[in-house]
């Protein structure tokens, strides 16, 4: 029996409110695991299959000077109650200064980490998601805004195999309070990407929500 598992991507975090604050971090892509040749004789008549869901992006916020709202981790996928095979979900972007999510520990092809939100030190564009090119791409980080009210663009999600844009692009940051894009479903054995981070808000508006994994 051959088993192929694709885990859920992590959610991106929201942006922060107030000029000069960081954009949200991108969520990490879910891992992929393949195991071939499991003897049918050791398996039951039926086996439990768990499909990991994508992590929810951090909710938009209008609370001044609060931390980024964190994105949820992507769910693990598994085969068998034991289980026989596991693929770890991508990490959601945590709260605090636009930090990105990181990939899980169990898998054959690991998902890519998300990009950091821009403006952790000085106002800047969000970083692009990264990864091994064959696994699920990480989501891009959201852009920040300067004290003068200039908004910076979000980073791109990483394409898988050079053409499948599985990591969500962080469109947030090009305008005030724009949300990060969700990770896209992959093709073949490629998993879903991490969600994009939300853009930074301004002193009087909402910060954008993170994209879902």
């Amino acid at each position: 029996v051959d088993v192929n598992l694709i885990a859920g991507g992590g959610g991106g975090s929201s942006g922060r409110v107030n000029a000069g604050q960081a954009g949200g971090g991108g969520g990490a892509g879910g891992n992929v695991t393949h195991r071939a040749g499991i003897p049918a004789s050791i398996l039951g008549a039926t086996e439990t299959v768990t499909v990991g869901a994508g992590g929810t992006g951090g909710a938009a916020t209008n609370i001044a000077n609060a931390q980024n709202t964190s994105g949820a981790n992507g769910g693990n996928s598994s085969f068998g109650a034991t289980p026989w095979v596991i693929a770890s979900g991508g990490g959601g972007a945590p709260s605090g200064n636009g930090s990105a999510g990181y990939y899980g520990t169990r898998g054959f092809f690991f998902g890519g980490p998300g990009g950091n939100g821009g403006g952790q030190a000085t106002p800047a564009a969000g970083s692009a998601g990264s990864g091994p090119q064959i696994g699920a791409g990480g989501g891009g980080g959201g852009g920040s805004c300067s004290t003068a009210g200039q908004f910076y663009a979000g980073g791109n999600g990483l394409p898988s195999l050079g053409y499948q844009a599985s990591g969500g692009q962080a469109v947030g940051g090009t305008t005030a309070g724009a949300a990060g894009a969700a990770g896209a479903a992959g093709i073949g054995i490629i998993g879903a990407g991490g969600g994009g981070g939300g853009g930074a808000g301004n002193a009087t508006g909402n910060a954008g929500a993170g994209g879902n994994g």
Side-chain angles (χ1 to χ4, degrees):
V1 176
D2 298 343
V3 178
N4 191 67
L5 298 176
I6 300 171
S13 65
S14 74
R16 294 183 66 177
V17 177
N18 280 11
Q21 299 298 345
N31 292 349
V32 176
T33 298
H34 178 75
R35 183 173 177 182
I38 301 175
S41 59
I42 67 173
L43 301 177
T46 60
E47 291 285 349
T48 300
V49 176
T50 300
V51 179
T56 304
T61 179
N62 60 2
I63 301 174
N65 299 317
Q67 298 292 333
N68 306 84
T69 306
S70 61
N73 294 333
N76 297 338
S77 293
S78 62
F79 172 77
T82 305
W84 299 103
V85 192
I86 299 175
S88 297
S95 63
N97 296 324
S99 298
Y102 206 66
Y103 56 80
T105 58
R106 304 286 292 273
F108 189 79
F109 296 115
F110 289 94
N116 291 322
Q120 295 187 62
T122 58
S127 299
S130 59
Q133 295 292 332
I134 195 169
S144 67
C145 64
S146 70
T147 54
Q150 178 182 2
F151 289 89
Y152 291 78
N156 294 326
L158 180 80
S160 293
L161 299 178
Y163 62 89
Q164 176 67 22
S166 61
Q169 181 176 4
V171 294
T174 55
T175 58
I187 58 175
I189 64 169
I190 306 304
N202 56 28
T204 58
N206 291 334
N212 295 329

